[in-house]
């Protein structure tokens, strides 16, 4: 029997903290020099730790993992791609961007059906 899920404002905020932490940690990976640069490594791992805490709290408070992780799998790559291309100046064709964004959206949608 399906369990009713109540999505509170706290769960939504924690989800976005978790997603932002995943994006932030990923964007810092290059600065860690494969975790040889102590300062950037600590910053990167700290951001990931906060992100994992937020996502674990979302799940503990009733966020169904079968919806949380696909949503995360859609949001994190989309935001990371946008930042990488439009802020950090990485090269990408419109075809590549379109296909990556479409794939992320399909993954996110798949978690809802």
């Amino acid at each position: 029997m399906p369990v009713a899920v109540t999505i509170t404002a706290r769960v939504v905020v924690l989800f976005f903290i978790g997603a932002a932490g995943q994006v932030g940690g990923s964007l810092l990976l290059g600065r860690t020099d494969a975790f040889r640069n102590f300062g950037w490594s600590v910053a990167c791992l700290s951001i990931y730790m906060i992100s994992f805490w937020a996502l674990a709290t979302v799940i503990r408070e009733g966020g169904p993992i079968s919806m949380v992780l696909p949503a995360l799998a859609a949001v994190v790559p989309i935001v990371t791609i946008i930042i990488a291309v439009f802020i950090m100046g990485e090269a990408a064709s419109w075809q590549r961007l379109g296909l990556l964004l479409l794939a992320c959206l399909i993954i996110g949608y798949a978690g809802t059906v």
Side-chain angles (χ1 to χ4, degrees):
M1 185 167 176
V3 176
V5 177
T6 303
I7 299 176
T8 64
R10 175 178 161 81
V11 166
V12 171
V13 168
L14 286 171
F15 174 82
F16 282 107
I17 289 171
Q22 294 291 307
V23 171
S26 297
L27 293 173
L28 288 181
L29 282 171
R31 293 184 182 254
T32 68
D33 190 29
F35 294 106
R36 291 183 187 110
N37 182 314
F38 182 76
W40 285 110
S41 297
V42 169
C44 178
L45 292 172
S46 297
I47 290 170
Y48 275 134
M49 192 169 48
I50 291 166
S51 172
F52 289 140
W53 167 81
L55 294 169
T57 303
V58 166
I59 292 166
R60 184 192 64 192
E61 293 190 7
I65 197 165
S66 64
M67 287 180 66
V68 171
L69 291 183
L72 193 66
V75 170
V76 170
I78 289 172
V79 174
T80 303
I81 290 165
I82 291 169
I83 291 172
V85 171
F86 295 107
I87 295 176
M88 298 175 78
E90 286 189 15
S93 68
W94 286 107
Q95 264 183 322
R96 178 179 169 214
L97 289 175
L99 288 171
L100 288 169
L101 293 174
L102 178 63
C104 293
L105 292 172
I106 290 170
I107 289 168
Y109 177 70
T112 66
V113 294

